[in-house]
Amino acid sequence: MTPGLILLRLFGHLPAGAGRANSSLLNASTRPFDVLNFYGSRLAARVFNRRRMGAKMDRVIASLQRSLSREAAADFARAMRYPSRWDPYFHEYMTLAGIYRYPGQHYDHHRKQLTLNSVRDP
């Protein structure tokens, strides 16, 4: 289960004020998050080569598919506040459906950044 799903399950059952406070705190920590994210990614690149990263991605996608298949239709409307400053695909208020949509959007964003101009999208 991804961190976004864990947070939604936790804060989705708490009073709205708890979600607002959490989102505000996370938005306030955007600068340290960006620094940690940058250096963490650089360090991870030393461990996760193409083979390992491909296997990791396969495991994450399989996990998301299993989790998605267990969700009740009504759960997709459950929502919470998110730190909208952390990522262009995070919105101030995100539903469970949006959380499941996010990894694909994030992947596509970075894929476009790294793809050579001569390579076309399928």
Side-chain angles (χ1 to χ4, degrees), residues 18-80:
R20 272 193 303 277
N22 179 61
S23 177
S24 294
L25 177 66
L26 293 175
N27 269 329
S29 67
T30 299
R31 178 73 107 190
F33 170 80
D34 288 344
V35 171
L36 288 171
N37 193 32
F38 174 78
Y39 287 108
S41 297
R42 289 189 64 186
L43 183 61
R46 296 178 187 273
V47 176
F48 284 100
N49 57 26
R50 287 182 183 205
R51 181 182 48 80
R52 284 183 174 165
M53 194 61 187
K56 176 72 171 170
M57 188 167 179
D58 289 344
R59 287 191 302 274
V60 169
I61 290 171
S63 172
L64 285 170
Q65 288 174 334
R66 285 190 305 273
S67 178
L68 184 61
S69 70
R70 290 189 302 261
E71 299 290 353
D75 289 340
F76 288 103
R78 192 173 353 147
M80 70 169 275

Side-chain angles (χ1 to χ4, degrees), residues 94-106:
M94 291 184 70
T95 63
L96 180 63
I99 299 300
Y100 275 109
R101 197 175 302 116
Y102 167 76
Q105 291 172 320
H106 190 82

